[in-house]
């Protein structure tokens, strides 16, 4: 068909749109709403997905971790016995290749306060270098960050509230009154503390908007700490913190069990035959047997191997087999003081977590670590926080860089260590995240399809109303192909108009979400942080240009395609029948 002929058909399609203004406007609005909703939902969910991943990298894991291979295999158990020494050497090797890193010793324990106890995940860190990789240290809400050489911890805000340490941010009136009486008898100090709080607004019909499950009686209202950003308020809060610390409220005790692995010097024959040998891998049996000798008099197996490398392999074989005799449990009690509260954009540092200086854990006064760490967290030097790890921060590239750095120092890369990326660690979460993001997007796409099915019905009715007109144009010489093309152009024009309006509307709605977002911190409090994404407060959207443009293109093509079958059905009818159609 010639270009001039197509142009004539296009003009005819536009005249049809102008002749039926009401249907044109209503159909275009339906397409506009569908496109706008899809753009907004896709951009918002995409923004939450990106923000969650940034929080994982910047506040929890970094780009990758250097760990023993066996630790990663059992990472859910947090096996503290799977540690390694001389982390300074690996840090120096990575620095030579353009990567920063920070050591950690991760262990679980129970934290006791004057008000109760709670299970806590502890991170032994180097305060002077931890901030090079992770960003939570700059989000100390009250107090300060931990310092080397001191038996002190920084708690997540959730743990602090449960253990009732630090400054309470939304206590009940009676709880606040008890706290004040426990730290001072001075009326002036009491008035000072009361002046820092305001009574929480009540929901319609009574009750507390912050804890709807609680029935709060008159005289025991929820009190909210005044948190304005003025220097005067900061000075008041620092004074308040010092008063609480002086009262002993922040004094804590850690009860933890540290697992230390070692090749047992002796194994009873019943444990050798009943627990160890049946669980060993086939290729490890000969290795372990060669390291021990059976003594018939004592009916025990005694260690005879002395080579350190062979002993390491024997130990690894026992750990893989889950042999309990290769792990020694050491119970430790530590008295510490809470010196700060973390309230970051990521849930993990804010939860049941505590950060403690790594150096105080090394000797018998601490955890008897002897310089061991469970991981070295790695990030490319100078990379912006907004950028997610790319190829340069993959496990293969980092491992190769570490090997080069060690080689330049005349050291070989140990075979028992490996580099594992944040995706390796968060594989389960990423699968859950895909469901979190995918399900609403599928629903939005289905709504888009349903709206176009409605549009198809509108187009079908329009074509039926114009059956006589179609017959007249066919009688005047228009071919079936020209008729189908004309109505597809008409429907496509409706789709194009609606898509342009939808893109504009979607971008207008999305703009404040990109610039400011929505603060879901109150919802996070009510759900105990269980929103589903790895973020605690502001949910921001993003600009997904391919989806914004693609949704307009798809909507236009869908609208055009929707006209094909009704028109084809109409042109199959004999011209005489079409002319007699009423």
């Amino acid at each position: 068909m010639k270009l001039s002929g197509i142009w004539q058909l296009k003009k005819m399609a536009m005249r049809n749109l102008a002749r039926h203004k009401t249907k044109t406007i209503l159909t275009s609005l339906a397409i506009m709403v569908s496109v706008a909703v899809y753009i907004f939902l896709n951009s918002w969910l995409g923004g939450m997905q990106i923000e969650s991943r940034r929080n994982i990298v910047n506040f929890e894991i970094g780009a990758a971790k250097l760990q023993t291979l066996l630790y990663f295999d059992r990472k859910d158990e947090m096996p503290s016995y799977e540690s390694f020494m001389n982390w300074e050497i690996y840090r120096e090797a990575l620095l030579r290749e353009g990567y920063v890193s920070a050591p950690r010793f991760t262990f679980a324990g129970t934290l006791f306060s004057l008000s109760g106890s709670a299970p806590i995940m502890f991170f032994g860190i180097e305060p002077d270098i931890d901030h090079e990789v992770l960003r939570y240290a700059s989000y100390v809400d009250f107090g300060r960050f931990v310092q080397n050489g001191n038996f002190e911890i920084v708690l997540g805000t959730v743990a602090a509230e449960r253990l009732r340490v630090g400054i309470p941010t939304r206590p009940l009136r009676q709880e606040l009154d008890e706290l004040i009486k426990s730290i001072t008898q001075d009326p002036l100090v009491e008035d000072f503390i009361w002046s820092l709080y305001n009574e929480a607004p009540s929901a319609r019909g009574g009750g507390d908007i912050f804890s709807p499950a609680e029935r709060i009686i008159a005289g025991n209202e929820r009190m909210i700490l005044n948190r304005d950003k003025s220097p005067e308020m900061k000075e008041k809060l620092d004074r308040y913190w010092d008063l609480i610390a002086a009262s002993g409220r922040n004094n804590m005790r850690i009860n933890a069990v540290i697992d230390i692995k070692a090749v047992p010097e002796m194994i009873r024959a019943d444990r050798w035959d009943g627990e160890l040998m049946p669980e060993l891998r086939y290729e490890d049996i000969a290795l372990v047997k060669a390291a021990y000798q059976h003594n018939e008099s004592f009916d025990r197996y005694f260690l005879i191997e002395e080579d350190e490398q062979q002993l390491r392999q024997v130990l690894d074989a026992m750990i893989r087999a889950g042999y309990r005799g290769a792990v020694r449990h050491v119970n430790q009690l530590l008295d510490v003081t809470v010196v700060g509260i973390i309230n970051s954009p990521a849930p993990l540092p804010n939860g049941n977590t505590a950060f403690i200086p790594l150096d105080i854990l090394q000797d018998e006064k601490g955890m008897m670590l002897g310089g061991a760490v469970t991981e070295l967290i790695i990030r490319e030097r100078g990379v912006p926080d907004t950028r997610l790890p790319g190829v340069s921060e993959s496990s293969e590239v980092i491992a190769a860089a570490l090997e080069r750095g060690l080689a330049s120092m005349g050291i070989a890369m140990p075979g028992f260590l490996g580099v594992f990326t944040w995706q390796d660690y968060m594989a389960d979460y990423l699968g859950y995240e895909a469901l979190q993001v995918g399900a609403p997007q599928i629903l939005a796409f289905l709504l888009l399809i349903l709206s176009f099915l409605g549009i198809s019905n509108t187009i079908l009715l329009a074509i039926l109303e114009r059956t006589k007109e179609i017959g007249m144009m066919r009688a005047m010489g228009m071919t079936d192909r020209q008729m189908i093309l004309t109505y597809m152009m008409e429907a496509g024009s409706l789709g194009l108009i609606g898509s342009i309006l939808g893109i504009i509307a979607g971008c207008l709605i999305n703009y404040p979400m990109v610039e400011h977002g929505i603060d879901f911190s109150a919802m996070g409090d009510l759900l105990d942080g269980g929103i589903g994404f790895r973020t605690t407060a502001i949910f921001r959207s993003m600009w997904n240009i391919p989806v914004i443009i693609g949704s307009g293109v798809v909507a236009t093509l869908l609208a055009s395609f929707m006209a094909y079958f009704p028109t084809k059905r109409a042109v199959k009818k004999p011209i005489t029948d079409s002319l007699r159609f009423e």
Side-chain angles (χ1 to χ4, degrees):
M1 185 180 294
K2 292 183 179 180
L3 187 61
S4 59
I6 295 177
W7 177 246
Q8 290 299 323
L9 295 178
K10 179 66 175 177
K11 289 173 64 178
M12 185 181 298
M14 298 306 294
R15 282 198 299 268
N16 287 338
L17 291 178
R19 280 193 303 156
H20 304 85
K21 293 184 177 65
T22 302
K23 289 181 181 178
T24 298
I25 293 172
L26 293 177
T27 307
S28 298
L29 287 176
I31 296 172
M32 179 193 76
V33 171
S34 301
V35 171
V37 169
Y38 184 75
I39 289 174
F40 171 73
L41 193 57
N42 177 275
S43 300
W44 190 24
L45 291 171
M48 290 193 290
Q49 182 184 54
I50 293 295
E51 193 68 20
S52 295
R53 295 183 177 190
R54 286 173 180 163
N55 285 344
I56 290 170
V57 172
N58 294 328
F59 294 90
E60 299 182 24
I61 297 177
K65 291 184 179 184
L66 178 69
Q67 292 179 316
T68 68
L69 302 178
L70 290 177
Y71 189 103
F72 181 76
D73 289 341
R74 300 187 174 189
K75 59 183 181 295
D76 294 335
E77 303 171 13
M78 290 191 298
S80 57
Y81 55 82
E82 274 304 324
S83 56
F84 59 95
M85 313 289 286
N86 302 318
W87 60 267
E88 298 90 347
I89 295 175
Y90 305 117
R91 172 175 161 82
E92 175 60 28
L94 288 166
L95 277 173
R96 294 187 178 196
E97 296 296 320
Y99 294 90
V100 291
S101 58
R104 272 191 172 185
F105 191 93
T106 304
F107 62 98
T110 303
L111 196 57
F112 294 89
S113 70
L114 296 175
S115 302
S117 63
I120 299 291
M121 181 185 295
F122 293 91
F123 298 104
I125 62 168
E126 281 288 337
D128 295 337
I129 60 177
D130 203 63
H131 67 276
E132 296 178 9
V133 183
L134 300 177
R135 303 294 180 248
Y136 63 88
S138 60
Y139 288 89
V140 175
D141 212 16
F142 304 111
R144 59 172 175 81
F145 201 57
V146 294
Q147 298 174 352
N148 276 326
N150 299 327
F151 282 82
E152 55 192 29
I153 61 174
V154 167
L155 274 183
T157 182
V158 173
E161 289 180 0
R162 289 179 177 175
L163 293 169
R164 296 186 178 180
V165 299
I167 297 176
T169 57
R170 51 189 192 96
L172 296 174
R173 182 180 291 274
Q174 291 179 2
E175 293 174 349
L176 182 59
D177 187 54
E178 292 173 3
L179 168 64
I180 294 173
K181 290 179 179 178
S182 69
I183 64 178
T184 184
Q185 300 298 320
D186 187 338
L188 294 178
V189 177
E190 291 184 13
D191 292 341
F192 162 71
I193 297 176
W194 281 111
S195 70
L196 299 177
Y197 289 88
N198 297 314
E199 186 176 315
S202 297
R204 183 177 300 174
D208 181 11
I209 62 173
F210 291 93
S211 296
E214 284 183 318
R215 295 295 182 184
I216 299 181
I217 61 175
N220 193 27
E221 299 82 7
R222 180 74 67 186
M223 307 301 294
I224 304 300
L225 182 68
N226 187 352
R227 301 295 302 277
D228 68 59
K229 304 297 183 180
S230 66
E232 294 80 8
M233 179 54 67
K234 185 180 185 310
E235 291 180 5
K236 291 179 180 180
L237 293 177
D238 288 342
R239 179 190 174 192
Y240 187 15
W241 177 273
D242 292 340
L243 288 168
I244 290 175
S247 71
R249 176 184 169 94
N250 291 350
N251 294 336
M252 315 285 284
R253 172 164 286 183
I254 299 173
N255 182 8
V257 176
I258 298 298
D259 297 331
I260 301 174
K261 65 177 182 177
V263 179
E265 297 285 339
M266 179 272 297
I267 304 175
R268 296 200 317 260
D270 59 333
R271 298 192 66 183
W272 177 276
D273 295 327
E275 297 179 20
L276 179 57
M277 285 296 140
E279 300 300 327
L280 286 172
R281 297 191 311 187
Y282 177 78
E283 57 269 27
D284 291 334
I285 293 176
L287 174 70
V288 175
K289 284 184 175 181
Y292 285 86
Q293 186 176 47
H294 183 242
N295 186 300
E296 294 184 359
S297 300
F298 293 97
D299 197 22
R300 283 167 167 77
Y301 288 84
F302 290 89
L303 182 67
I304 58 173
E305 181 63 65
E306 296 183 358
D307 182 76
E308 289 188 9
Q309 185 175 357
Q310 290 294 107
L311 287 175
R312 175 81 194 194
Q313 293 175 358
V314 170
L315 183 58
D316 288 347
M318 290 182 172
I319 295 298
R320 279 194 295 268
Y323 179 59
R324 293 175 296 172
V327 178
R328 183 160 53 96
H329 307 291
V330 180
N331 190 67
Q332 294 286 352
L333 292 174
L334 285 179
D335 290 323
V336 295
T337 301
V338 178
V339 296
I341 307 297
I342 294 288
N343 187 13
S344 75
L348 180 64
N350 302 351
N352 284 342
T353 55
F355 302 90
I356 185 169
L358 184 61
D359 64 340
I360 68 169
L361 302 177
Q362 302 306 317
D363 55 23
E364 64 276 0
K365 294 180 181 180
M367 298 289 184
M368 298 187 298
L369 301 184
V373 297
T374 55
E375 59 205 41
L376 199 63
I377 299 177
I378 305 167
R379 195 84 217 262
E380 189 175 2
R381 183 164 51 192
V383 68
D385 293 346
T386 54
R387 199 187 84 181
L388 289 173
V391 175
S392 62
E393 293 180 298
S394 63
S395 57
E396 295 81 7
V397 173
I398 293 176
L402 179 57
E403 290 180 4
R404 289 194 304 270
L406 290 172
S408 68
M409 302 164 65
I411 303 171
M413 176 73 173
F416 62 87
L417 292 178
V419 176
F420 305 96
T421 64
W422 71 276
Q423 293 102 323
D424 296 329
Y425 251 83
M426 303 303 297
D428 292 341
Y429 168 77
L430 292 176
Y432 170 73
E433 180 194 74
L435 293 175
Q436 284 275 98
V437 174
Q441 290 192 3
I442 291 173
L443 179 61
F445 186 74
L446 290 176
L447 290 174
L448 186 67
I449 296 298
L450 287 174
S451 70
F452 275 96
L453 290 177
I455 294 166
S456 173
N457 185 58
T458 301
I459 293 172
L460 174 62
L461 291 175
I463 291 172
L464 287 175
E465 290 176 358
R466 289 188 246 166
T467 300
K468 192 170 185 178
E469 178 183 328
I470 291 172
M472 290 177 60
M473 288 189 290
R474 291 172 64 201
M476 294 172 62
M478 284 191 69
T479 64
D480 292 351
R481 182 183 176 189
Q482 288 174 327
M483 290 300 307
I484 293 173
L485 188 57
T486 299
Y487 281 96
M488 286 185 69
M489 285 183 178
E490 182 179 336
S493 298
L494 281 172
L496 180 61
I497 295 169
S499 296
I500 292 173
L501 294 175
I503 289 173
I504 294 172
C507 290
L508 289 175
I509 297 171
N510 199 43
Y511 178 78
M513 291 297 301
V514 173
E515 293 298 315
H516 308 290
I518 295 180
D519 189 348
F520 276 94
S521 55
M523 182 183 293
D525 289 340
L526 294 177
L527 298 178
D528 198 18
I531 295 177
F533 289 90
R534 293 298 254 262
T535 185
T536 60
I538 303 298
F539 280 10
R540 285 187 173 87
S541 189
M542 61 177 287
W543 293 116
N544 194 337
I545 302 302
V547 168
I548 292 173
I549 296 175
S551 60
V553 173
V554 169
T556 301
L557 293 177
L558 272 175
S560 180
F561 181 74
M562 290 298 179
Y564 175 77
F565 291 103
T567 310
K568 188 174 182 180
R569 180 182 175 185
V571 297
K572 282 184 177 180
K573 188 175 289 192
I575 294 176
T576 54
D577 291 347
S578 297
L579 292 173
R580 286 195 298 267
F581 184 84
E582 295 295 338

